[in-house]
């Protein structure tokens, strides 16, 4: 005998039960089961695509042998509009139907059917609920309806239907503007009342809830929806429900639509190529605003720790040139600016090339190359040795023709090289305003012109202070006159350059693990070669041939023994190989790995979430953001709120974090987010110039 529905289970505001369309089922037949949720007045649960917030109901079956469950069948939901968050919901009651297949050959008898249902029930606040539901299914010689068969029949009629006469189609209306693009959907329908499209969920794009009714031929419905893209290419198809009719007499058709381009869309595309930047969609910042952000961010980069070594070299150059030869100082200031701008153009070209190849790019992308790190670490080490006087730079024609000579020279080549070096090191940092501007430039929908304009504007901001000082030598009156102190200052400036070399060396372990120590051996041998050159070639002219042979032997031994033989620098570890990552104090914040699922799980438990997207090569992350997040005040607040702390390691540019950064309008780290415990509220984006007080205040706001 079938226990109809079995005992029901109740959460805070929702009662759940399990019902069947038949009380007795023959072997080989299929019976409809229904998980019935009855909500208190004013409360609701969610459709399979909850919309801008919420969580769909899940059903985890515990079935005996011989019974298999099919896909859940979701009745047509209601759209709950809101100015910020539109969701798709069920009020009062819903029955989610699931076909259960009974295997042929099952003997007569009673089978226990169990399932665990989990949902999110919301009024103003949201509460996760779950229940174990159970009922017995009788296997017999014939199928007999149950007392709940009429109820299941009612909910069957509320399921989306298939309609061969609807003839639906969808097409892009025009070219994209920013990250949004309008699509026109039309189909055959006797009524235009309530016409809408309820989309299936997607991780790469969102069909936004607003709908515009368009003119159409008689017997035809035509609507416009906006698609917002998060990552990747524009979708080739969309799926969901074509909805029509009043709330009391509503119907819907399940559909999957291919997206085709229209003639008007092609015309709009040509117009947009002719005049970039016109008609930005609402919510997308205008280009002029992002250019201001890029300029201010470039200015601020001059005081970030990543470019301090190069600043020291430029100060030395200004002292040596500005008072003795102002005209030459102005010329060298322009050459330095040219070096910065050329390197930013090259960086923009690299980003555009990566995007054109279908890959994802981020700010500081060159740090994802282990070969770049080996090369730049060697170069910066040579620059430090040169500043320390291990070998000298002679400004005549016999100067050592190396990058190290260029870096501390005061001629045009030195100024140009310093501009290039400043850009290379600056991309390991971000600054206030810079993150939003670069994120705007890195957006997949941005044109090559916009990307190049943003990068060049950052370069102008980075170079401008030196150009201004070069053209206004009177502003340098507070600097001491050139003299013997400059040699001591030059040696002192070797220490920040050496610190930069140590920092770059620390990044190599991400790609080579314990083998990275062989790069240290190689650098020592390079230092020996530089010392021999300075001591026996530059300062002592006898036996220079023997000294050059010794240099060649030391350098070759270092390369083949250390780099090739033991570091195996052309064989970096794969991304899946366990290795170095972002270091965090185990006695500090209890960080857990970031994922979208981890965020959703914590928010379903109504716990605030702190997310830190960081990287080992990001100086701003490790010198500004990390101390703020690891402060005693923040740790105490996290514990008090029972908040979850998630760490997103961007050291090796994982695509999922690149997509998340893009979603929040950023192209690189740091990015710190605080999600309120209320799943309906959006995350709080914290600034790059972070302090413990800012974090604590945001956490307090998140619990309100």
């Amino acid at each position: 005998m079938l226990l109809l529905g079995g005992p029901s289970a109740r959460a805070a505001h929702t009662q759940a039960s399990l019902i069947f369309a038949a009380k007795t089922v023959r072997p080989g037949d299929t019976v409809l089961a229904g998980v019935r949720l009855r909500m208190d007045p004013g409360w609701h649960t969610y459709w399979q695509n909850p919309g801008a917030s919420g969580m769909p109901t899940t059903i985890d079956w515990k079935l005996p042998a011989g019974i298999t469950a099919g896909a859940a069948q979701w009745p047509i939901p209601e759209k709950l509009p809101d100015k910020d968050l539109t969701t798709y919901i069920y009020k009062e009651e819903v029955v989610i139907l699931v076909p259960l297949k009974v295997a042929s050959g099952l003997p007569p008898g009673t089978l226990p059917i169990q399932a665990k249902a989990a949902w999110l029930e919301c009024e103003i606040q949201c509460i996760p609920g779950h229940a174990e539901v159970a009922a017995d299914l009788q296997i017999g010689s014939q199928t007999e309806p149950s007392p709940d068969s009429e109820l299941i029949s009612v909910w069957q009629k509320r399921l989306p239907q298939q309609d061969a006469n609807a003839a639906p189609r969808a097409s892009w209306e025009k070219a994209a503007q920013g990250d949004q693009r309008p699509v026109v959907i039309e189909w055959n329908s006797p009524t235009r009342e309530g016409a809408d499209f309820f989309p299936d969920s997607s991780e790469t794009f969102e069909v936004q809830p607003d709908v515009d009714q368009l003119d159409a031929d008689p017997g035809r419905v035509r609507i416009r929806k906006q698609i917002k893209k998060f990552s990747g290419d524009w979708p080739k198809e969309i799926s969901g429900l074509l909805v029509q009719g009043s709330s009391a007499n509503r119907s819907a058709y399940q559909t999957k639509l291919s997206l085709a381009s229209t003639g008007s869309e092609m015309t709009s595309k040509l117009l947009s190529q002719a005049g970039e930047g016109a008609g930005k969609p609402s919510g997308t910042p205008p280009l002029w605003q992002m250019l201001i952000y890029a300029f201010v961010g470039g200015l601020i980069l001059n005081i970030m720790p990543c470019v301090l070594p190069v600043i020291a070299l430029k100060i030395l150059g200004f002292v040596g040139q500005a008072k003795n030869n102002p005209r030459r100082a102005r010329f060298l200031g322009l050459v330095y600016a040219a070096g910065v701008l050329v390197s930013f153009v090259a960086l923009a070209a690299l980003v555009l090339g990566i995007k054109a190849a279908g890959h994802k790019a981020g700010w500081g992308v060159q740090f994802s190359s282990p070969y770049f790190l080996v090369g730049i670490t060697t170069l910066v080490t040579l620059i430090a040795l040169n500043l320390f006087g291990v070998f000298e730079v002679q400004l005549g024609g016999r100067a050592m023709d190396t990058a190290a000579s260029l870096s501390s020279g005061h001629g045009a080549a030195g100024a140009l090289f310093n501009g290039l070096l400043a850009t290379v090191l600056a991309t390991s940092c971000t600054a206030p305003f810079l993150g939003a501007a670069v994120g705007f430039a890195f957006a997949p929908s941005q044109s090559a012109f916009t990307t190049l304009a943003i990068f060049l504007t950052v370069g102008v901001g980075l170079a401008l202070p030196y150009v201004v000082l070069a053209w206004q030598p009177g502003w340098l009156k507070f600097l001491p006159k050139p003299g013997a102190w400059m040699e001591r200052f030059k040696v002192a400036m070797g220490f920040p350059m050496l610190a930069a070399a140590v920092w770059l060396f620390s990044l190599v372990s991400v790609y080579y693990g314990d083998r990275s120590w062989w790069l240290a051996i190689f650098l020592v041998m390079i230092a020996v070669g530089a010392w021999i050159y300075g001591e026996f070639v530059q300062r002592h002219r006898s036996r220079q041939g023997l000294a050059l042979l010794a240099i060649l032997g030391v350098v070759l031994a270092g390369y083949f023994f250390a780099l090739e033989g033991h570091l195996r620098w052309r064989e970096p570890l794969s991304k899946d190989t366990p290795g170095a990552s972002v270091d965090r104090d185990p006695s500090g914040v209890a960080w857990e790995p970031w994922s979208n699922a981890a965020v959703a799980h914590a928010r379903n438990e109504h716990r605030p979430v702190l997310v830190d997207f960081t990287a080992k090569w990001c100086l701003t992350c490790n010198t500004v953001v990390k101390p703020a997040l690891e402060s005693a005040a923040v740790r105490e607040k996290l514990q008090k709120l029972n908040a979850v702390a998630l760490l997103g390691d961007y050291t090796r540019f994982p695509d999922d974090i690149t997509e998340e950064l893009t979603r929040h309008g950023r192209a690189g780290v740091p990015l710190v987010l605080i999600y309120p415990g209320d799943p309906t509220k959006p995350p709080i984006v914290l600034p790059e110039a972070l302090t413990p007080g800012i974090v604590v205040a945001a956490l307090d706001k998140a619990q309100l």
Side-chain angles (χ1 to χ4, degrees):
M1 181 69 182
L2 174 69
L3 297 177
L4 300 178
S8 62
R10 183 174 182 85
H13 298 279
T14 302
Q15 183 176 352
S17 59
L18 179 62
I19 60 176
F20 295 110
K23 65 179 182 180
T24 305
V25 184
R26 293 183 308 176
D29 284 356
T30 297
V31 61
L32 272 181
V35 175
R36 185 183 187 188
L37 301 178
R38 287 178 284 179
M39 288 74 76
D40 288 347
W43 289 77
H44 61 264
T45 57
Y46 292 91
W47 184 45
Q48 60 179 337
N49 175 16
S53 67
M55 182 182 73
T57 298
T58 60
I59 304 172
D60 184 17
W61 292 97
K62 298 179 181 178
L63 300 173
I67 306 293
T68 55
Q73 300 174 6
W74 297 80
I76 305 167
E78 297 181 42
K79 184 164 76 170
L80 182 62
D82 186 271
K83 63 179 181 179
D84 296 319
L85 301 171
T86 296
T87 53
Y88 303 94
I89 65 167
Y90 300 112
K91 294 180 180 178
E92 299 180 353
E93 182 183 38
V94 65
V95 177
I96 302 173
L97 302 175
V98 178
L100 298 181
K101 175 67 177 177
V102 180
S104 58
L106 276 183
T110 300
L111 296 179
I113 308 297
Q114 296 178 327
K116 180 179 180 180
W119 60 86
L120 189 67
E121 52 191 33
C122 298
E123 188 190 39
I124 296 176
Q125 61 179 349
C126 292
I127 303 173
H130 60 85
E132 299 276 354
V133 293
D136 289 339
L137 185 62
Q138 187 72 30
I139 307 300
S141 58
Q142 60 182 359
T143 297
E144 299 179 14
S146 74
D148 292 313
S149 61
E150 289 188 11
L151 178 61
I152 286 187
S153 179
V154 168
W155 284 97
Q156 272 188 290
K157 295 176 181 178
R158 300 180 184 179
L159 293 175
Q161 305 299 314
Q162 300 288 340
D163 186 2
N165 298 320
R169 67 179 182 182
S171 60
W172 296 114
E173 184 180 34
K174 57 184 179 180
Q177 293 181 335
D179 58 357
Q180 297 196 61
R181 194 176 186 184
V183 64
V184 173
I185 305 171
E186 55 183 310
W187 68 96
N188 294 330
S189 173
T191 178
R192 299 182 183 180
E193 184 180 8
D196 205 345
F197 177 76
F198 293 178
D200 293 335
S201 60
S202 171
E203 294 183 357
T204 59
F205 67 93
E206 174 189 61
V207 181
Q208 297 189 315
D210 294 340
V211 58
D212 297 322
Q213 303 291 336
L214 305 177
D215 293 336
D217 296 333
R220 192 83 172 159
V221 170
R222 196 163 177 262
I223 62 173
R224 178 193 294 118
K225 304 284 283 189
Q226 295 287 339
I227 292 183
K228 183 176 183 179
K229 184 178 65 169
F230 300 136
S231 63
D233 296 326
W234 290 101
K236 299 294 189 298
E237 63 180 23
I238 55 176
S239 62
L241 305 183
L242 302 173
V243 181
Q244 59 194 27
S246 63
S247 57
N249 187 25
R250 186 174 51 181
S251 61
Y253 305 106
Q254 187 74 44
T255 187
K256 180 180 291 185
L257 301 170
S258 298
L259 288 170
S261 299
T262 65
S264 61
E265 185 263 337
M266 293 300 295
T267 302
S268 298
K269 182 177 181 181
L270 292 174
L271 291 174
S272 67
Q273 291 174 345
E276 179 67 22
K280 290 291 178 185
S282 60
T284 301
L287 177 59
W288 65 264
Q289 180 181 343
M290 290 298 101
L291 290 175
I292 293 176
Y293 283 7
F295 177 74
V296 175
L299 283 175
I300 297 175
L301 272 180
N302 284 287
I303 60 173
M304 301 303 288
C306 42
V307 294
L308 283 178
V310 182
I311 290 176
L313 295 177
K314 287 309 299 173
I315 291 174
L316 190 64
F318 276 125
V319 171
Q321 294 288 338
K323 295 190 176 182
N324 293 332
N325 192 343
R327 178 178 297 180
R328 182 162 178 77
R330 290 194 292 268
F331 170 73
L332 294 180
L334 293 176
V335 173
Y336 170 78
V340 171
L341 295 180
V342 167
S343 55
F344 268 100
V345 169
L347 185 58
L350 175 63
V351 170
L352 292 171
I354 292 174
K355 290 167 63 175
H359 302 295
K360 297 177 175 63
W363 182 250
V365 66
Q366 69 272 22
F367 288 93
S368 66
S369 169
Y371 316 120
F372 165 81
L373 285 176
V374 170
I376 194 67
T377 303
T378 304
L379 172 62
V380 173
T381 301
L382 280 170
I383 294 172
L385 293 172
N386 175 246
L387 292 172
F388 286 139
V390 174
F391 62 93
E392 299 296 334
V393 173
Q394 300 172 352
L395 298 180
R398 293 178 295 173
M400 182 180 179
D401 187 18
T402 65
S405 299
L406 291 174
S407 67
S408 59
H410 305 316
L416 182 67
F417 182 81
N418 276 325
L420 298 173
L421 185 61
T423 301
V424 170
L425 295 180
T427 52
S428 66
C429 282
T430 187
F433 300 100
L434 185 63
V438 176
F440 181 83
F442 274 72
S445 59
Q446 294 298 354
S447 68
F449 171 81
T450 300
T451 301
L452 182 61
I454 293 290
F455 274 73
L456 278 175
T457 306
V458 176
V460 170
L462 180 61
L464 183 63
Y466 302 104
V467 176
V468 171
L469 287 175
W471 284 74
Q472 295 293 333
W475 294 0
L476 299 173
K477 61 184 178 180
F478 299 105
L479 292 177
K481 295 181 180 181
W485 69 271
M486 291 179 61
E487 186 62 29
R488 294 191 293 272
F489 181 77
K490 174 186 173 183
V491 173
M493 290 303 97
F495 290 100
M497 191 62 70
L498 183 63
V502 172
W503 164 67
L504 288 166
F505 172 78
S506 71
L507 306 181
V508 175
S509 61
V510 175
Y511 300 94
Y512 298 101
D514 292 339
R515 288 154 39 196
S516 61
W517 283 107
W518 286 99
L519 177 60
I521 300 299
F522 172 73
L523 294 177
V524 170
M525 301 181 81
I526 288 292
V528 171
W531 173 77
I532 295 173
Y533 177 82
E535 190 67 24
F536 295 97
V537 176
Q538 287 190 322
R539 299 181 181 91
H540 299 282
R541 303 304 178 184
S542 61
R543 299 183 181 178
Q544 290 189 8
L546 181 60
L548 290 174
L549 286 175
I551 293 170
L552 182 63
V554 169
V555 172
L556 290 178
Y559 177 80
F560 287 104
F561 176 74
L563 285 192
E564 290 284 357
H566 290 83
L567 178 65
R568 302 197 305 278
W569 72 289
R570 291 184 289 180
E571 302 173 20
L573 302 175
S574 68
K575 288 187 177 182
D576 299 327
T577 304
S581 59
V582 174
D583 299 320
R584 286 293 162 98
D585 185 355
S587 64
V589 175
W591 296 98
E592 300 175 12
W594 170 86
S595 68
N596 279 314
V599 174
H601 179 74
R603 300 193 80 189
N604 289 338
E605 295 179 347
H606 293 269
R607 299 174 66 185
V609 183
L610 168 66
V611 181
D612 179 22
F613 292 108
T614 184
K616 192 170 184 179
W617 45 259
C618 172
L619 276 177
T620 306
C621 303
N622 293 285
T623 60
V624 179
V625 175
K626 178 179 175 181
L629 297 181
E630 294 286 355
S631 65
V634 172
R635 293 201 306 269
E636 182 180 351
K637 179 62 67 173
L638 290 172
Q639 293 175 357
K640 182 178 179 180
L641 299 180
N642 191 28
V644 177
L646 302 178
L647 187 70
D649 186 358
Y650 196 50
T651 301
R652 299 193 69 168
F653 289 78
D655 285 346
D656 56 344
I657 294 182
T658 301
E659 293 171 0
E660 192 68 13
L661 294 173
T662 302
R663 193 189 307 271
H664 293 283
R666 295 292 188 270
V669 291
L671 173 64
V672 180
L673 304 173
I674 293 181
Y675 290 85
D678 184 351
T680 65
K681 294 183 178 180
I684 302 168
V685 181
L686 300 187
E688 291 93 343
L690 207 56
T691 65
I694 293 175
V695 182
V696 170
L699 287 169
D700 284 332
K701 183 178 179 181
Q703 69 172 334
L704 298 179

